[in-house]
Amino acid sequence: MPDYRSAGRFAPSPTGPLHFGSLISAVASYLDIKQRQGRWLVRIEDIDPPREVPGASATILHQLDAHGLLWDDSVLYQSEHLGRYLAAADQLQQQDLTYFCQCSRQRIGSLGGIYDGHCRDLQLASDNRAMRLKLGKRNSEHLAFTDSIMGHYEQSLAAAIGDFVLRRRDGLVSYQLAVVVDDYYQNITHVLRGSDLLDSTPRQLYIQQCLDYPQPVYMHVPVALNNNGQKLSKQNRAATLRKGHEANNLYAALVWLQQEPPAEIANLSVAEIIQWGIEHWSLAKIPRTMGLDAPDNQLNSD
Ligand code: GLU
Ligand code: ZN
């Protein structure tokens, strides 16, 4: 019997077509949740219009489909659910967990990435100001979790991040808030994504605690690097996936994930390669360290 209580997701931002790095995350989350006989959902994270490329969502969905990564249920577009992110922000505000920040970009830039709480007690009104979540009301000191691939990870939010933004001054909802709200609304039990998001996870755990949401299982796969040791991303123009080479792309993703696919499966159909991948999926085989973006002192290889 399929276990419909389990659900995983792939949540691309429509900033360009899938590249090899994002295909790896999609394939891994698909194989993992299908081995658990759960549902695989696709969510388009389109709430940051300045970064979006017209047509990218449709391209991504075509690419997923061509690679045999077939989603259950309809695709969720975050832009159609702004109301629920704002409601969650309100809920935090009502608990006195938020405040508005008038700091200039220059001031914030000069802080080196850790906000110092300057506006915390100024009681500023919302007008064109960023809304920040106050740390300290809940446990924000040792936010720890066990990643099923990376092992123990912990972060002191105060030392590493400071009170962080839930809504930007231009009114846009932050990725951190929207992702937590939707993982909750979609009943996501297993979050598998690239390790570039490992250090976002403690912020997401903190928001979950403030909103009384359950915590999903987290799995971060090391992000793919190009020959210069840079993360493959749309920003550094990672090669897009070639059309008509889907079976090869899948095979390469399985090799990259060290699932040890036998050479002969490279000639099978997309559906057959996916089936092989589900049956042989092994989290334990995934490399932990390749291209890891986290400082060493935050990781233990328990
Ligand atoms: N939309 C995010 C991205 O494309 C991923 C969100 C997530 O998987 O949590 O980087
Ligand atoms: Zn401020």
Side-chain angles (χ1 to χ4, degrees), residues 99-104 107-108 115-120 124 132:
Y99 63 91
F100 294 97
C101 167
Q102 65 179 2
C103 294
S104 64
R107 181 171 189 284
I108 290 168
Y115 184 67
D116 61 357
H118 181 263
C119 298
R120 212 178 225 248
L124 298 166
R132 288 182 185 273

Side-chain angles (χ1 to χ4, degrees), residues 113 135 139-145 152-162 164 176 197-206 294-295 297-299:
L135 300 179
N139 168 29
S140 53
E141 264 322 294
H142 297 286
L143 272 165
F145 68 101
H152 179 84
Y153 186 83
E154 76 173 70
Q155 194 178 50
S156 159
L157 284 180
I161 313 276
F164 57 92
Q176 307 292 353
L197 293 166
L198 190 55
D199 76 346
S200 284
T201 309
R203 270 171 281 180
Q204 296 173 15
L205 300 183
Y206 188 69
N297 62 7
Q298 291 178 341
L299 279 170

